[in-house]
Amino acid sequence: MATRKFKTPGPPVASTRQLRREKRKRSPVEETAAAAALPSTPKRKANKENEANHAENITPIKRRKMREQLAKDTVATTSKAVAANTTVNPTPCKSRTSKSGAVHSYGIPETERDKEAKAYAKYVLEKHTHHNVAEVPRIVASGIGASQTPETTIGLIAESMERLMAGRPLPRNSGLKRKLLMPYVAGLVKWRDVGPSVKSEKPLYDYFANFALFVAQCLQSIAVDGNGNTLYIARLVLPSSRSDFKPNDSNDSRRIDSGLDTRNPDAPVRPVSVDAYADMLCVLEAKGARDQGDEALVQLFMYSASLYTRQPDRRFLWGLTVCADEIYVCAMLNDCALVSPVMSISEASGRKALVSLLVSWSVCPRDRLGYDPTMERVYSGISSDSSSSDDGSIIDDIRYEISCYDDETEETRKYAIKRTIMSADDIFGRHTRCFVATPIDYSIGDIAMSGATDGSNPQEVVIKDAWPPAESPVLEDPRSEIVLLRKIRSEFETNPPSPQHIYPKLVVGGHIKLARDEGTQEIDTTDAIFQSMGVERLNPPPGNDKVEALHWRYQPL
């Protein structure tokens, strides 16, 4: 027997059209009374008492204003609720993960990540940044092979710049051509006369670009000159053709002011397309006043961390800050940042110092620019179009080959990196990176995507590339991960069978060695960088946070 439930009959429900008709017929008093008779929704409840008290004085204009105010109050209440909900239980916001080394961030809005990054950059500035370090340019000033000394070249370019800015002819037998240099002189004069502050920082981009192009044009003219003024040039350092832009491989919405990149010595001297962090030598941060140096450094630290993410072959970084007519160069190592003394563009000595830096960057060995000498970028691709594989790792569109030296056998094996499964993402630290790679065994110069020439599938390996600290000689450190993995491998070889897929089997383990001018080799550490500066890394004096001289604790890369 079926059971049925019946609802108690209620008043007839009027249609929407009938309600509209009756509403047009009501007077203001009747409208208020009808509103009071309706169920108390939050909107009606909030204004019911006020409408009842002032019903006789409500005019159509007042009623419209009341509705507008009520609508504003409703919208404001809703926005506050959403904001509160976002704070307590944020909507998952997954960052772009189709990039090489992209950071997977869940549940943290970009604004919060920016706050954290800025707070950390301020901490770096306060606790780990050393100012007025005159030896910083020496990192790239030594180890230069040339038939003409760099000092002579630097002096010639600086003198030529001063002469043209003063309207005088170039030095005799300089090998320089006036018609090639004059297009940049007007910008140099404007930068010299800019003063302690400018209304907008945008003209500073062009001023610096003119300076860099002037130096590059001089170097290219000297290199091809037949008057005995020869100089080996490894590269041209050229400014970006874009300014105040978001790099297309960026994982956030930050915009950098400008950047520098390198080209072959015979490349055209002009601004170059620098669209991605993966292609930059360094970031340039500009400010409109001299007293904004610390603010510029904070932003430089924030932006430069992305260079580590996008460039797996970077050991340390360079950066430039331009504050009106003052410029600083910063070397960012794994545990400290070294800032040079000011180079004032309003003074001839400051202009010569900047010329010296750009010339040194153009002729120094590549490892002095902060690159890993064991990694070679063999394919540029399009750095903004990486893709993810089925296992979630990153398939790189920029290809690298890496040479791995084994400390035990003293042999070097070469691998082709297929994809990145972990990348560095901070300004300081070990900068650990992990790659999936295949061995290279070809004898021709083509890129080995598979790592084999007989069509077979080579065994894939995982390469862990890190710059850990060491408080004892590197090869004798008992805590070395390489030593421990080598011991595990030995145990499994002497006591078979070995458990599969529990411990990694070490194939190659070693440290990077740098070739020096004297034909010697040394393990690549922070101390090696300090030796190129001509200083020794020591413990800091007690109670002295910001030191003027070079005193740091011993901590190799």
Side-chain angles (χ1 to χ4, degrees):
M1 181 177 179
T3 302
R4 298 182 180 179
K5 293 183 179 180
F6 297 91
K7 294 177 66 175
T8 305
V13 180
S15 65
T16 305
R17 181 176 299 177
Q18 290 174 335
L19 292 175
R20 289 175 180 171
R21 288 174 182 171
E22 292 186 7
K23 186 175 181 179
R24 284 197 294 267
K25 297 177 181 178
R26 294 171 185 162
S27 65
V29 177
E30 293 173 340
E31 174 70 19
T32 304
L38 292 175
S40 296
T41 61
K43 181 192 294 187
R44 293 290 186 182
K45 189 175 182 179
N47 294 275
K48 181 170 61 176
E49 182 177 357
N50 184 58
E51 290 179 358
N53 294 336
H54 302 280
E56 64 279 4
N57 297 325
I58 294 178
T59 64
I61 297 178
K62 286 185 177 181
R63 185 162 60 249
R64 185 175 69 251
K65 291 182 179 180
M66 290 171 61
R67 288 172 181 166
E68 292 175 355
Q69 184 62 39
L70 183 60
K72 292 181 181 179
D73 294 341
T74 305
V75 172
T77 304
T78 306
S79 299
K80 290 177 182 178
V82 172
N85 183 56
T86 303
T87 304
V88 177
N89 185 20
T91 303
C93 56
K94 181 178 179 181
S95 63
R96 297 173 62 185
T97 57
S98 62
K99 303 295 179 201
S100 173
V103 179
H104 295 253
S105 179
Y106 297 91
I108 303 179
E110 183 178 342
T111 54
E112 294 298 324
R113 297 200 304 271
D114 280 344
K115 288 181 180 178
E116 293 178 0
K118 190 171 184 178
Y120 181 67
K122 289 181 177 179
Y123 167 78
V124 170
L125 176 65
E126 180 181 355
K127 299 296 184 181
H128 295 278
T129 300
H130 305 272
H131 300 268
N132 297 322
V133 183
E135 293 84 355
V136 169
R138 294 185 191 173
I139 297 176
V140 290
S142 59
I144 301 173
S147 58
Q148 183 186 17
T149 62
E151 290 76 15
T152 305
T153 303
I154 293 168
L156 175 61
I157 296 176
E159 181 185 358
S160 301
M161 181 181 293
E162 299 303 321
R163 283 173 170 264
L164 291 179
M165 291 173 65
R168 299 164 55 196
L170 291 169
R172 292 184 178 182
N173 301 323
S174 63
L176 304 178
K177 298 180 180 179
R178 182 184 179 91
K179 65 178 182 179
L180 296 178
L181 299 177
M182 284 305 297
Y184 314 119
V185 174
L188 299 179
V189 173
K190 290 180 181 179
W191 196 10
R192 179 195 64 185
D193 302 334
V194 75
S197 63
V198 290
K199 293 182 179 179
S200 173
E201 64 190 40
K202 291 184 178 180
L204 300 176
Y205 309 152
D206 294 333
Y207 298 161
F208 178 84
N210 285 328
F211 199 106
L213 293 172
F214 185 98
V215 175
Q217 186 64 67
C218 289
L219 287 174
Q220 194 173 72
S221 299
I222 292 173
V224 300
D225 182 56
N227 296 327
N229 298 320
T230 58
L231 175 70
Y232 169 74
I233 299 176
R235 65 196 67 85
L236 294 179
V237 178
L238 300 173
S240 170
S241 58
R242 301 176 62 189
S243 59
D244 189 21
F245 68 98
K246 176 183 178 296
N248 58 21
D249 59 352
S250 175
N251 204 36
D252 49 54
S253 59
R254 299 172 190 152
R255 303 174 68 87
I256 67 171
D257 287 339
S258 188
L260 292 176
D261 196 10
T262 59
R263 291 292 187 270
N264 293 328
D266 56 351
V269 178
R270 61 190 180 194
V272 293
S273 176
V274 184
D275 298 323
Y277 283 120
D279 302 324
M280 293 183 191
L281 169 63
C282 70
V283 174
L284 183 145
E285 177 64 27
K287 295 296 178 185
R290 294 176 183 174
D291 58 359
Q292 292 181 291
D294 286 351
E295 182 180 348
L297 282 173
V298 167
Q299 290 187 278
L300 181 68
F301 295 153
M302 292 175 61
Y303 304 152
S304 295
S306 296
L307 294 180
Y308 281 124
T309 304
R310 305 304 174 193
Q311 299 182 24
D313 58 340
R314 288 308 284 264
R315 301 155 52 234
F316 65 91
L317 301 176
W318 291 94
L320 291 171
T321 61
V322 178
C323 301
D325 60 350
E326 294 183 347
I327 189 166
Y328 300 84
V329 59
C330 179
M332 291 161 274
L333 308 183
N334 282 49
D335 60 352
C336 66
L338 312 178
V339 182
S340 72
V342 61
M343 294 177 280
S344 177
I345 303 302
S346 61
E347 301 176 2
S349 59
R351 294 190 289 272
K352 185 176 180 179
L354 183 54
V355 168
S356 176
L357 176 69
L358 294 175
V359 170
S360 298
W361 277 353
S362 300
V363 300
C364 71
R366 191 169 182 269
D367 64 89
R368 302 292 178 91
L369 296 177
Y371 292 98
D372 184 345
T374 65
M375 294 188 69
E376 180 183 2
R377 182 168 168 172
V378 294
Y379 173 65
S380 294
I382 303 174
S383 57
S384 60
D385 293 330
S386 299
S387 59
S388 299
S389 62
D390 294 337
D391 60 1
S393 58
I394 306 302
I395 302 176
D396 295 327
D397 61 340
I398 300 178
R399 297 289 174 177
Y400 288 89
E401 292 180 356
I402 181 170
S403 299
C404 299
Y405 175 79
D406 190 86
D407 294 331
E408 190 175 48
T409 63
E410 297 185 351
E411 295 179 351
T412 300
R413 299 188 186 184
K414 201 168 187 179
Y415 295 87
I417 296 176
K418 294 181 63 178
R419 60 184 182 271
T420 302
I421 55 180
M422 180 180 180
S423 65
D425 59 356
D426 214 336
I427 193 69
F428 283 167
R430 294 168 175 254
H431 298 138
T432 302
R433 299 157 172 119
C434 292
F435 313 107
V436 175
T438 53
I440 296 176
D441 52 6
Y442 59 86
S443 58
I444 58 177
D446 296 333
I447 300 172
M449 305 300 291
S450 65
T453 57
D454 57 359
S456 62
N457 293 323
Q459 181 182 9
E460 289 185 343
V461 298
V462 173
I463 299 176
K464 180 179 179 181
D465 186 31
W467 306 86
E471 298 178 358
S472 60
V474 176
L475 299 179
E476 303 174 8
D477 191 349
R479 300 169 302 171
S480 170
E481 187 176 5
I482 295 174
V483 173
L484 296 176
L485 287 174
R486 194 172 282 140
K487 183 177 181 180
I488 293 173
R489 182 186 64 183
S490 177
E491 289 290 333
F492 288 154
E493 290 175 349
T494 56
N495 300 290
S498 62
Q500 297 293 325
H501 310 300
I502 296 180
Y503 294 100
K505 181 180 179 181
L506 181 67
V507 179
V508 178
H511 300 81
I512 296 175
K513 291 189 175 182
L514 299 175
R516 290 309 184 201
D517 297 336
E518 300 80 9
T520 60
Q521 288 188 335
E522 59 181 334
I523 295 179
D524 185 15
T525 63
T526 302
D527 284 346
I529 300 175
F530 276 76
Q531 290 173 15
S532 66
M533 297 168 63
V535 296
E536 185 179 358
R537 191 176 176 93
L538 303 173
N539 292 325
N544 191 357
D545 292 334
K546 289 189 176 181
V547 295
E548 298 299 328
L550 294 180
H551 296 286
W552 290 277
R553 58 192 174 87
Y554 176 85
Q555 178 151 344
L557 286 173

